[in-house]
Structure formats: C-alpha cells, structure tokens
Amino acid sequence: MSDVQDKPGGGRIEGGIDAIVIGADAEGLTAAAYLGRAGYNTILLEAGVEIGGAVCARELSPGLSYVDGEHLISILDPAVIADLDLYRHGVSYAARCLDTAYFFEDGKTLQLGGDLQMAAAAFDDEEAGSAFQKFITDVFEAAAFCRPGFETAAPASDIEKAMRAAPRSLAARLNFFSLAPAQEVLDAYLPDGCLKTALLCEAGFRSAAAPHEPFSFMTLLRRWAGEIAGLQGACAYPQGGAVAVVTALRRAAQAAKVDIRAATGVASILIEQDHAAGVELEGGGQIRAPIIVAAGAARRVFMEMIGAANIDIGFQRAITAAQPQLASGHLHLSLKGVARDEKTRGHMNRRLVYAPPREALRRAFADARAGRVPDDLMIEAVFPDVLDEETGGDRMQLLSAIAHPLPFDENPNADRRAEIEKTILANIEKFAPDIEDRIKERALRLASDIAKSTSALAQDYAAPPSIIEQVALARVAGSAGYVSGLYFCGREARIGAGISCAAGRMAAKAALYEAKRGGRAA
Amino acid sequence: MIFPAEDVIVDSPRATPLYAAAASASEANIWTSVNGWSLARVFTSVEKEYHAAKNSAAIADLGALSRWAVRGPEAAQFLSRITTAPAPRLGVGESARGLILDGDGGVLDLAEVSRLSDDLFLLTTPTAHARRLQLGARGVDALGEDICEAVAAIGVFGPRASEVLSAAGMKMPGEDVAASAVVRGVETAARPIQFGALPGVELIFPAADALTIWERLVRRGKAGPIGLDAMEILRIESGAPRPGVDFVAADHPGTTTRRTPAEIGLPHLAPLDRGWYNGRRGLRYVATRPERRLVTLSVDDERSMPGAAVYAGGKPVGRITSCAWSPAIKRVVAFADVARPVGAKDYEIAVPAPGEGRVAAKLYETPESALAKAFREAQDAVGNAR
C-alpha cells in the first residue's frame, strides 16, 4: 500500500512505492511485471488512455478490427514468455510457423517453409537447395551466437571477449556478417535468382539501412536470432493478433499486483543528489520511489522529463543525433466477400511478401530518403481472419499490409497520404490483382498516425537505423544518463523491429540487481 | 587564465589585434603561435620581463585565448552545464574559475566565467570549444557568440596593475568585480584575473581600438610588455597546470591519458557538491580514486628538463611535464606527473649527468596546490563528520 500526503502548493505526495514504470507499452508492461513478481510495490503510469502503446485493436468496419502497430511476432523474447508465464496468461499461436510466399516483378513466385532449416529440402533445384542449406546453417549459428547481444547492449569489451572465445571460422563469419552489406553476403552464398531477391528484401524490410549498404545484413541476422516456440527464425501469428501478447503482458503485470494507471502523464522525473527519487505528475502531485523504469522515447524521457540542463552533453548528443529519413506504412483493407474454398484459404494462410528486384530496391531507398514516394515497395501482407479463424467476419475479409521503405513525414498532408496509399495498393496489386475492386474500407496508418494515438513523437515510429547503430545507441541509452535508480527500456534501448520485450526485461533485471546490491528499494 | 600548449605546426599564424604593437615592442623578435595566433615569446629579456611583472606591472597580449559572450535567460544554467564554475551563483561583475569535463569526468580544459549583467556572461577558455558549446546549448535558452575575432584583450599583471589602469584612465570599483569604462573614447571592460599568484586585470575592448589602448597603457601607465617565456615561469611558480603540456585533454585524438580534476591538482575547481555540471556523474565514480597526481617539485639542478624521469624510493614513478628556473626561489620548479599510490614527499629527477644521473627534488607548495590541499582537508573533515 502507498502512503499519501498533501503536497505543499497542491496535489498529493504518494510514498511507500518501490518502483515506478513510465509507459505501458509491451516493454513497460514487461518491466512492471518483472518488478511486481519480485515483490516490489510497483506502479505503471501511462499518459494515454490505452494500455499497450502502439499495439492495439481498432475497428475498420462493423465487426472487423485490425491490430495497429504490429501484425506478426518474430523476435519476442522467449525468456519473457517463460519468466512471466505468458502462455498461462493467454498467449497462444493461431499460426505458429508461418510459411512465406514471395512474389516477384516478373510474375514468378517462391514459397519458403516457416521452418527455414527444413525449407531447403523442398527446393526443386538441387544446387540452390544445397546453397540455401549452407547459408541457413551458417547464418543461424551466427545469429544464435549474437542473440545475447541483441537482447541487451553488451559493452564493447564483452563483445570482443565473446568474439575471441568463438571458434576461428565462426569469428571470421561473424565479422563478415556484421560488416558486410546484405547484398554482398547473399552474393557470396547463393546463386542469382528469386531466392536471393527474396532474402535481399527481407534484409531491408523495416530498416533504415538499405540492403546494399554496409552493416545491413545484421537486420536479417537480428530477425533470425529470434525464435518462436523454439523454432529459430520463424514468424507467428498469435491468437487474437499481436494485441494478444500485450494483453497477456498486462495480465501478467496485474497478477504480479502492479498498479496500472492509465491517463496519468508524467511531467518530470525527480532527481535528488543524482538519484531518481520519483515523478511529478502532469495533473499535479508526486509519486516517490527509488526505482524508475522509463519505457518512453529517450527524447521525451531525458530532454523533457529530466531536462537538457541536467544530462551530460555527450549523452544528449547520442540520443538526439539521429534524424529519421525512412518509415514503414501500414495499410489495412476490409475486402468484400470471403474466400471459402480450402485451396484459396490455403494460399492466404501464409505471410505474403512482394519483393522488388535489386535495382528497384536500391532506387526505392534513394527515393524515400529524398522525400519521394518510391514506385516499388516491399510489401508484407497477411489475412488475419484466415490465420485466426476466430476473428473472421462472415461477409468481409481483412488484409493487413506493411510497406517499406516510405519517406518519413512528421505531418503528411492529404495529398501525400493519397499518394502513399495509391502506391501501396499498386504494389499489392502485383500479387493480388484487382484487389482494388473488392476494397470496402481502408485505413492507412503512418508513423504520424500511430504517434498521435499514443501521444508520442512521429520519429519514435520511424524505421530503426542499422542494427550496429541500434546497438551503439542502446548502449548509451541503456545507461540512462548515469542517473542512479533510473532505468531505460524505451525505443532507443531496443534492437530490431517488432515486439521483443527484451529491453523491458533487462531494465527490470538491472533495477532488481542494483536494488539488491545497494538496498535502495523502499 | 593560462595559455594552452604552443602549436606544433602552423603555416601562417594569424595576427592578433595587438600584433603590430607587440611587433614594434619586440626587441628579441622571437615568436610562437598559440591557437593559430602569433604571440611574442620574448620582448626584451625573460628575466627583465619576469621581474617587471613580479615587482611592478607588465602587460600581455591575451588575444590568443578563446572568448565567448553567452546571453539569454538560461545563460547561467548553460554555463554551469558546460563548465564546473558556479555561474548561477555569481553576482554581476564577479568571476569564477572552473573546468570543462567530458561525460566521464575527464578534464578537457580550464575555464573562467564572468557575469557582466543578469543575462550576459563572458566565458574564457585556453582552447576553442565551439562544437561543445553548440551541443550544450541545445534545449537551453542561451546563445553563445564567439567574440575572439571582434575583441582584443590585454592582461595587466603585477602589484602596480591598478596604478597602471588609473594612469590610463580606468578605475576598478573593487578588487573582485568587473567594470566598464571609456578609455580615450573606447568602450572597455575590465575584469580582475589572476595569473597564478599574481593579481591582474584583463581589459577587453573592440579589436579596432587595440593599438589605442595598448599605447595608452605603455605611455601613461609605464607598463612594459611580457612575453610567453616569462609568463611560463610565473605560471609554474603559481602551480597552474597548462593544457596540452601538463595534461592532455580527455578528448584529444588518440589520448590514453585521461585525467580527472584531482589528478591535475585542481580538485577544488570541480567539487561534487557544487550542483550539476557535465561530467559530474562520471566524476563521482572516479574522483575518490585518483591514479595519478600532478605535483610541483623544486629541484636543485638546472639540467632538469621536460620528459625527464621522476623516481621515488628508487623506482620510476612518472615524468616531468614542464619546468622553469625560478628567480624567486633560485631553483628549478617543475610539474611532474607521478603515480598516486607512491605518496612520497622526496623524489629524484633523472638528469643528463655521469653516473646515476639523478638529483634530489622536493614537493613544492604553490598557491594552487595550497588551495587543493585546503579543499581536500575540508572534504575529509566533512567526510569524517558524516
């Protein structure tokens, strides 16, 4: 129980709290659940009215809802699932190991099984199959080795140490994979053809680093370091969509007796003698606690809640230096009619990816960086109500697509939105002809739209930079400006696109370790 | 304020606004460059200039130092972020010394802050920090303007400094506060400074009027110019470490010798209880365990030279960073960077001589080291009381 006193000048001072978590997105919920489970009296504060951050269900047309923010999961931290017992709290997979169907400009298609290690066996071309098998074996080994580094930004000395301890051939490969452009790695392993184009597309998807640029292969390595239900590199569609993961995290936090307060914005973080001492609320009043975990964007947490005059210049520079240029766009379509026959539904029961040719991809990144909407976009689409039959409507079908790369626009006008929507639809038409005739409702969700609904900044939802840059930034941001008692698991502390929860887990673990060592908890 | 190390390579150093006056006064015609500006090392003779500064008054061209005017409602907060000087606590006309630190508490430079009005400050540093000031101003309502090119600066040192100023037509309202006056129609600001133990005044005025003020001080005030070599003796006697010579800035490319305030003998300029400043959090972790120490030694041998090994208990513990023959104590006074755990009082210095080639050296208390000692004792007393 918390102690409440009147605060001079109005408001209340709430004490007797062990930890405060700011921001109720997946990472914030994870951190709060970990702290709560450790027996800490924890309060989770969310400025908006919705719990879950960007990931939430929105109605597109009566009876048909889409999940905003994310539609698949691929890098969800297995340790979080196990520690917080998320299966017991409602996480289950409607499609555990999604196959992917790639579509190409020349009309060819390629199907890759969800279990990538087994996928090579299905290749008709023996040469391509064996090349792919070697590629997957090498990359999966490297990805598994790198996994701890993706969960938390390990110090450079630890990474060097781990590299030295690795077998020589693996160390050389890691060096190649971490520095080289995706294009170069794929050229070294695979013969020209559809498979290479498909994987090139995967390497650039949802990243600000184009596949022909240095360090870009790490994007794929990061994705394939994740595992779903023990299957490395797999993609899954949870029962109820990605929002079900957030719901399960919320249940886990509630089960751990975390006090979740929505519509409670934090105005500032109180720092006394270099220690985090609590928060000042937007509506007046203070909550005092020796542990603060912040899951918001670094700019907001450090520049607004703490203030530029109280953080080190180098730290400020690191968290404010990046200016986003690229973003992904989400388009949700409600389509007239429902496919009933098993064959069609079988085709729709996959992750559908349109992979533009190599040159078009290079041009697309250049155009998007120059502020133009590219003609060719990478598209990842799913039919959620086919993957999860429980959510399907009787008369309409939902298609959720993510398009990349788009120019980052803080406040796009109607013309720009119309242009983006038209281009995404044109690219979807390449693998789903005449889809436009079936569209009943549509919802275009750009970074600025998602930011508005979560009271965040549009740049918080821009495409993340290369993995190397993310690791460097996470290392700085994770230090939380050396404010003792403050832990950070916001966007800048995360590595890779998608729901991960690893940053929240690591922030909570660090807080618990420090509290145990220093005994600073109330 | 101390000059930084002389430039290693500069093709064509720029002329300070006082260059013409200095050139005409320079009999020795020995020049160097600092921060890319030409400065005279010697005007007449080092000894003569030294004694003039010690016993009478001497004027120096301070145009090679970096100067910024900082304006805005949050100028004080900005400066207390950039430097360790307690800018918000300064009254109008007051000055304070400080350091510029990096995020880990490593010393980047020395700094001096003067409050000229409620929201106008003057920041003086040995080397330029434009990028750092630009970064530090983000999110703070303050604007810094580099005024190096626009102003000239003369330092008047010595016991007769105030007399010289009076004769030139400027009266200081007090020993510790800055003032402004019109000297021969030139708007001139004066602020008290200390060059080591020597009291002095710095005059700052528009660059275009540099020669007018210099002439006025020389003719009316009867003050002679002092070059860098004589100032170097005064600096070492006073115990003020020189950036780039006695310590290397923590952000210097390729440096592995990061030094904390305590390690360069200036812990009193960055107290941990002074409120927040850049690098304080990092400093908190390293301040209590300095690994090196910059000490001043007196050596009874003129052959001592920078770079010479320093021994304690027969083992090498460091090296001399700078030294000069002090006419005041008739010995060589040297800065030595030594390993902290030794804690010895008696050292030996390697000299180019037959045999062992070592001479005895003793710790020498300077005004600056006395301040540091008093600060450490006060800190220990507070620590014991707790």
Side-chain angles (χ1 to χ4, degrees):
Chain A
M1 288 294 288
S2 61
D3 309 320
V4 179
Q5 291 175 2
D6 288 333
K7 180 185 163 211
R12 301 184 312 171
I13 300 176
E14 210 172 320
I17 310 294
D18 296 329
I20 299 167
V21 179
I22 304 169
D25 64 357
E27 304 288 346
L29 285 162
T30 304
Y34 268 94
L35 290 164
R37 282 170 64 92
Y40 283 61
N41 187 4
T42 306
I43 292 181
L44 174 62
L45 302 172
E46 167 59 44
V49 290
E50 288 168 345
I51 299 297
V55 181
C56 64
R58 299 187 189 282
E59 193 174 72
L60 182 60
S61 55
L64 200 65
S65 298
Y66 66 88
V67 177
D68 204 6
E70 297 290 337
H71 56 229
L72 295 174
I73 56 170
S74 59
I75 57 168
L76 183 59
D77 187 359
V80 171
I81 297 177
D83 293 347
L84 301 182
D85 209 356
L86 290 190
Y87 291 135
R88 193 169 65 83
H89 290 296
V91 168
S92 62
Y93 299 114
R96 192 173 72 92
C97 175
L98 271 180
D99 293 350
T100 303
Y102 293 96
F103 299 87
F104 304 97
E105 197 187 37
D106 53 10
K108 287 183 182 165
T109 58
L110 171 75
Q111 287 189 24
L112 219 51
D115 184 348
L116 290 168
Q117 281 178 310
M118 303 296 286
F123 275 58
D124 294 335
D125 179 350
E126 202 174 310
E127 190 194 345
S130 61
F132 183 65
Q133 186 63 55
K134 173 157 176 40
F135 174 69
I136 285 292
T137 308
D138 282 3
V139 175
F140 272 26
E141 188 190 8
F145 184 86
C146 291
R147 189 180 298 153
F150 293 141
E151 288 169 1
T152 176
S157 55
D158 285 9
I159 294 172
E160 277 171 27
K161 206 168 144 191
M163 291 278 270
R164 276 201 300 274
R168 191 172 289 179
S169 64
L170 176 61
R173 214 180 323 137
L174 280 169
N175 206 29
F176 179 46
F177 288 167
S178 55
L179 300 177
Q183 197 168 294
E184 198 177 314
V185 175
L186 294 169
D187 282 343
Y189 272 94
L190 301 172
D192 286 337
C194 292
L195 180 63
K196 198 192 278 185
T197 309
L199 294 178
L200 205 59
C201 169
E202 294 282 11
F205 193 62
R206 297 187 72 182
S207 170
H212 62 276
E213 291 168 352
F215 319 125
S216 56
F217 188 70
M218 287 290 274
T219 309
L220 199 58
L221 208 64
R222 166 65 186 121
R223 178 109 48 87
W224 287 353
E227 61 176 48
I228 297 294
L231 205 58
Q232 193 178 349
C235 272
Y237 188 85
Q239 195 95 46
V243 75
V245 176
V246 174
T247 308
L249 286 167
R250 181 185 182 158
R251 285 186 192 136
Q254 283 168 332
K257 297 196 172 82
V258 174
D259 180 358
I260 301 176
R261 299 181 189 178
T264 310
V266 172
S268 61
I269 293 171
L270 304 171
I271 295 174
E272 295 169 2
Q273 295 175 338
D274 291 346
H275 294 281
V279 297
E280 185 101 28
L281 301 176
E282 277 174 358
Q286 284 181 5
I287 304 176
R288 298 187 70 83
I291 294 173
I292 313 281
V293 179
R299 283 172 206 246
R300 181 147 285 178
V301 171
F302 295 103
M303 299 296 286
E304 293 175 23
M305 293 182 187
I306 293 177
N310 285 309
I311 57 173
D312 280 340
I313 294 166
F315 180 78
Q316 179 190 353
R317 186 183 172 195
I319 61 167
T320 57
Q323 293 300 326
Q325 291 180 308
L326 302 180
S328 300
H330 299 240
L331 184 65
H332 304 274
L333 305 171
S334 73
L335 305 172
K336 284 179 263 181
V338 176
R340 303 279 179 202
D341 67 292
E342 282 305 310
K343 193 179 172 194
T344 310
R345 288 183 78 84
H347 286 312
M348 293 160 79
N349 199 3
R350 293 191 178 105
R351 172 174 172 259
L352 310 174
V353 172
Y354 171 66
R358 181 184 287 205
E359 279 312 309
L361 205 56
R362 184 187 280 251
R363 215 168 33 241
F365 273 91
D367 281 347
R369 282 191 188 136
R372 296 186 292 270
V373 179
D375 294 333
D376 292 283
L377 295 170
M378 295 178 269
I379 303 282
E380 179 194 74
V382 289
F383 289 93
D385 48 358
V386 176
L387 295 171
D388 180 5
E389 293 192 346
E390 283 180 22
T391 60
D394 292 337
R395 293 180 187 170
M396 278 184 289
Q397 204 138 40
L398 179 68
L399 183 144
S400 292
I402 299 180
H404 189 84
L406 289 169
F408 172 75
D409 218 330
E410 223 160 318
N411 201 11
N413 60 22
D415 289 346
R416 173 52 75 97
R417 295 180 67 86
E419 188 188 0
I420 290 172
E421 191 179 301
K422 194 177 157 195
T423 312
I424 297 176
L425 277 173
N427 281 278
I428 293 175
E429 289 257 348
K430 289 177 183 171
F431 62 90
D434 305 326
I435 199 170
E436 199 142 12
D437 303 337
R438 288 181 60 203
I439 297 172
K440 189 154 193 306
E441 300 284 347
R442 58 188 79 187
L444 177 67
R445 303 287 291 169
L446 300 177
S448 54
D449 304 316
I450 298 172
K452 261 181 221 156
S453 59
T454 56
S455 352
L457 303 171
Q459 58 204 25
D460 299 341
Y461 296 103
S466 71
I467 296 293
I468 293 282
E469 286 172 86
Q470 285 184 63
V471 169
L473 181 57
R475 192 175 296 148
V476 177
S479 72
Y482 297 112
V483 178
S484 165
L486 177 65
Y487 304 89
F488 181 73
C489 60
R491 191 182 122 88
E492 289 78 358
R494 304 169 195 172
I495 299 163
I499 301 176
S500 157
C501 300
R505 173 170 68 89
M506 297 311 294
K509 290 270 183 193
L512 293 169
Y513 174 75
E514 286 289 327
K516 198 174 167 187
R517 209 179 58 158
R520 277 190 285 101
Chain B
M1 183 47 65
I2 303 298
F3 284 108
E6 291 162 39
D7 302 325
V8 179
I9 302 170
V10 170
D11 284 343
S12 48
R14 292 173 291 171
T16 67
L18 290 162
Y19 177 78
S24 74
S26 176
E27 292 171 18
N29 206 22
I30 301 172
W31 298 81
T32 184
S33 78
V34 172
N35 284 340
W37 298 96
S38 275
L39 286 182
R41 287 183 61 168
V42 186
F43 283 91
T44 49
S45 83
V46 174
E47 201 174 348
K48 205 169 152 187
E49 289 164 24
Y50 169 85
H51 284 297
K54 276 287 229 191
N55 307 318
S56 174
I59 57 174
D61 178 3
L62 302 182
L65 297 172
S66 175
R67 279 188 182 73
W68 286 70
V70 181
R71 293 185 177 81
E74 293 184 327
Q77 286 89 330
F78 167 68
L79 286 166
S80 72
R81 179 185 198 202
I82 291 284
T83 74
T84 64
R89 279 191 259 153
L90 293 177
V92 173
E94 288 180 344
S95 300
R97 289 190 303 154
L99 299 169
I100 298 180
L101 306 181
D102 71 358
D104 297 323
V107 179
L108 297 174
D109 210 348
L110 312 173
E112 201 160 296
V113 174
S114 300
R115 187 170 209 150
L116 304 180
S117 71
D118 281 344
D119 58 358
L120 175 63
F121 289 80
L122 176 71
L123 170 67
T124 313
T125 56
T127 51
H129 295 277
R131 180 72 179 136
R132 179 159 285 270
L133 264 67
Q134 187 191 20
L135 291 169
R138 285 184 191 167
V140 183
D141 191 2
L143 187 70
E145 184 192 355
D146 183 354
I147 56 169
C148 290
E149 304 273 356
V151 300
I154 297 176
V156 186
F157 303 108
R160 273 188 60 239
S162 53
E163 237 177 84
V164 170
L165 289 172
S166 299
M170 171 168 276
K171 283 204 169 95
M172 299 288 285
E175 280 186 3
D176 300 326
V177 291
S180 64
V182 177
V183 181
R184 282 198 63 147
V186 179
E187 188 71 39
T188 306
R191 64 184 190 110
I193 55 171
Q194 283 213 319
F195 194 85
L198 275 184
V201 174
E202 184 183 43
L203 301 175
I204 301 167
F205 43 88
D209 301 308
L211 301 182
T212 310
I213 302 295
W214 176 279
E215 282 302 305
R216 185 84 172 179
L217 291 170
V218 172
R219 288 178 193 280
R220 287 280 185 89
K222 311 283 184 213
I226 181 170
L228 275 185
D229 285 4
M231 290 174 81
E232 180 70 354
I233 303 172
L234 294 167
R235 174 188 77 79
I236 296 173
E237 281 181 350
S238 71
R242 187 172 181 186
V245 174
D246 298 310
F247 68 94
V248 179
D251 64 347
H252 191 273
T255 187
T256 52
T257 53
R258 169 184 297 272
R259 294 285 183 264
T260 64
E263 287 173 337
I264 62 165
L266 301 174
H268 48 294
L269 296 187
L272 291 171
D273 55 2
R274 185 176 276 177
W276 192 86
Y277 48 77
N278 188 67
R280 198 192 70 176
R281 290 192 187 109
L283 189 60
R284 199 179 52 199
Y285 295 105
V286 293
T288 51
R289 41 177 199 278
E291 291 178 356
R292 311 284 305 176
R293 199 167 158 195
L294 197 62
V295 294
T296 34
L297 303 173
S298 67
V299 191
D300 202 5
D301 192 296
E302 285 182 53
R303 291 168 297 181
S304 308
M305 61 177 70
V310 178
Y311 296 84
K315 292 180 180 169
V317 292
R319 64 179 186 90
I320 289 183
T321 54
S322 61
C323 62
W325 168 256
S326 165
I329 64 165
K330 305 280 188 263
R331 279 162 187 261
V332 167
V333 182
F335 269 108
D337 181 46
V338 296
R340 172 78 176 87
V342 172
K345 286 186 177 172
D346 295 320
Y347 293 88
E348 286 178 320
I349 309 290
V351 290
E356 275 288 294
R358 292 183 197 172
V359 292
K362 283 186 182 303
L363 280 180
Y364 172 68
E365 187 166 278
T366 62
E368 200 70 71
S369 64
L371 282 175
K373 190 177 166 191
F375 173 79
R376 277 194 290 268
E377 284 169 359
Q379 293 283 303
D380 290 346
V382 170
N384 292 338
R386 279 181 187 158

